[in-house]
Amino acid sequence: MSSKILRIAALAGDGIGPEVMHEAIKVLRTVEKKFHFAFEISEAPVGWAGIDAVGKALPDATLALCKRSDAILFGSVGLPGRDPTIPKEERPERAALLRLRREFGLFANLRPVTLPKALAHACPLAKDRQGDGIDILVVRELTGGVYFGEPKKTEKIPGGHRAIDTMVYTTQEIERIAHVAFQAARSRRKKLTSADKANVLENGVLWRDVVTQVGKHYPEVTLEHMFVDNAAMQLVLRPTQFDVLLCENMFGDILSDEAAALGGSLGLLPSASLGTATNGNTFGFYEPAGGTAPDIAGKNLANPIAQILSAALMLRHSFGLNDAAMAIEKAVARTIDAGCRTGDIFNPNEPGVHQVGTREMGEAIAAEI
Ligand code: IPM
Ligand code: MG
């Protein structure tokens, strides 16, 4: 497309973040050359890396960089074992990740789970439950619900404490995420399953009503409501019934990890967190769903594919570069087909495959672009 400079804030974070980010940047640089784009990729610390550098999980300079960027490519943050004296409000999960979601109004979280045919063995479900393949898009509301509702506190009471979290949703918050989910379903297999707890929660009743109302604008999409406990069960019993799965924040947190396991490995799952489009541009935050994986960090063992596919989502959703996004996705598919496997997706009984490290996987994908 144009020679416009696309500004990317690359925040690698902790654990395996730096290693997988390195490979994603390698792939982006390859795409940049091939398609004649101009990327300005600026790296900055976040998470424990931010605390180590300047004493804050989200350093002011990092936030300022994000604000002058067109998109954030994020690694992962949070090392549960580190420094328990740092209060929870200042730890990376809340002070960096949740803060960024809130700060940029990233209410729509898209987590596409697909099980590549070549990796059927990595899926924990029996073959006959995998049908013709698993292909689910989890659409998770990301800035509301019990994660952010007030009051949120722990107070002393006689004999101990009382912890309070508040689940709260407005009609408008449900409407805007429902539109995102219906639009996604319209461009896929035209089925939307909305998970809620309408049999117990006030929030669930409102959620179901509002999603039903929004659905009237999308007559071509089949809408189904499912209680969230049943949805958790159906995901393992008959995952092929799902196309788009819409959830509020916490239910989406839980179900997206469950769905991710069906895709063979958390190391394969990218995600996009989007805000409202302004002047046709959608600011977005792109991160692998897998987390910091401290046990394998720094050992050239992590699978960089989720980070690389997150970069592809960034090209598509924030920059409108669908061809380049597809070039990355196809390169990943070809690399898997060619038998390249990081440890998480390696099965020694599979013929024609070889185990590689993080760097070799990144290089192989870049070479396929
Ligand atoms: C996720 C993560 C985060 C969440 C944590 C790290 C705060 O689990 O993105 O799914 O709960 O949203
Ligand atoms: Mg989670």
Side-chain angles (χ1 to χ4, degrees):
M1 58 147 222
S2 66
S3 54
K4 180 173 173 275
I5 293 177
L6 300 166
R7 289 160 306 179
I8 301 165
L11 316 185
D14 308 320
I16 60 170
E19 293 163 79
V20 293
M21 181 65 82
H22 192 259
E23 300 316 308
I25 291 176
K26 194 183 281 173
V27 170
L28 280 173
R29 289 295 183 206
T30 309
V31 166
E32 178 183 37
K33 260 201 209 109
K34 166 138 194 208
F35 289 80
H36 308 291
F37 300 144
F39 294 144
E40 182 184 295
I41 303 177
S42 311
E43 300 187 59
V46 72
W48 287 101
I51 294 174
D52 291 340
V54 298
K56 271 172 100 171
L58 182 61
D60 298 342
T62 299
L63 180 59
L65 167 69
C66 293
K67 286 187 173 158
R68 57 172 193 273
S69 299
D70 300 306
I72 302 172
L73 186 61
F74 196 84
S76 47
V77 294
L79 299 169
R82 274 204 55 180
D83 197 350
T85 64
I86 303 230
K88 53 190 186 300
E89 298 77 20
E90 293 171 25
R91 301 182 78 81
E93 290 84 346
R94 294 196 202 196
L97 191 55
L98 297 192
R99 166 101 196 273
L100 283 168
R101 287 175 183 171
R102 188 64 166 208
E103 182 82 33
F104 290 99
L106 305 168
F107 68 93
N109 182 224
L110 312 180
R111 298 187 168 180
V113 176
T114 48
L115 175 65
K117 275 224 160 51
L119 296 184
H121 64 82
C123 176
L125 298 185
K127 271 255 161 54
D128 60 339
R129 294 198 194 280
Q130 299 175 17
D132 291 333
I134 295 169
D135 182 4
I136 303 170
L137 176 68
V138 179
V139 176
R140 169 186 175 192
E141 201 293 325
L142 203 60
T143 51
V146 74
Y147 271 58
F148 293 98
E150 297 284 347
K152 186 179 199 68
K153 61 181 172 184
T154 303
E155 54 195 25
K156 271 208 160 72
I157 55 165
H161 290 85
R162 176 166 67 170
I164 302 172
D165 294 281
T166 305
M167 190 180 215
V168 51
Y169 271 107
T170 62
T171 301
Q172 190 258 338
E173 285 175 298
I174 303 169
E175 275 172 359
R176 64 181 184 177
I177 191 69
H179 278 291
V180 170
F182 276 107
Q183 282 160 22
R186 196 165 59 181
S187 69
R188 293 172 47 103
R189 301 194 305 281
K190 302 186 173 46
K191 180 170 176 197
L192 176 63
T193 307
S194 173
D196 65 42
K197 194 69 187 167
N199 48 351
V200 177
L201 300 178
E202 291 297 312
N203 271 270
V205 176
L206 183 64
W207 185 273
R208 193 170 279 222
D209 282 354
V210 174
V211 172
T212 304
Q213 289 306 322
V214 172
K216 294 186 175 150
H217 299 280
Y218 302 88
E220 67 277 50
V221 176
T222 305
L223 169 64
E224 176 185 49
H225 300 283
M226 202 179 268
F227 293 135
V228 62
D229 49 347
N230 185 29
M233 182 173 72
Q234 292 300 326
L235 270 173
V236 293
L237 288 182
R238 211 161 59 77
T240 54
Q241 71 186 286
F242 295 102
D243 177 11
V244 176
L245 176 57
L246 168 64
C247 317
E248 66 84 43
N249 201 346
M250 187 167 67
F251 296 162
D253 178 44
I254 299 166
L255 293 187
S256 65
D257 265 27
E258 188 188 357
L262 304 179
S265 167
L266 263 179
L268 296 170
L269 188 69
S271 82
S273 303
L274 308 175
T276 313
T278 42
N279 310 325
N281 296 323
T282 305
F283 185 84
F285 176 100
Y286 301 86
E287 63 174 328
T292 53
D295 51 323
I296 58 166
K299 299 180 180 159
N300 197 35
L301 289 174
N303 188 343
I305 289 181
Q307 187 78 59
I308 291 168
L309 290 176
S310 297
L313 292 180
M314 174 180 76
L315 298 185
R316 175 173 297 126
H317 292 288
S318 283
F319 303 154
L321 303 174
N322 200 44
D323 289 352
M326 269 169 47
I328 295 180
E329 288 160 353
K330 285 191 178 143
V332 168
R334 278 198 296 272
T335 305
I336 291 175
D337 286 344
C340 255
R341 302 279 187 272
T342 39
D344 56 319
I345 51 174
F346 177 66
N347 172 354
N349 300 321
E350 204 191 337
V353 301
H354 55 286
Q355 192 169 356
V356 299
T358 310
R359 276 192 301 276
E360 294 72 30
M361 182 64 103
E363 266 148 34
I365 292 168
E368 287 285 352
I369 298 282

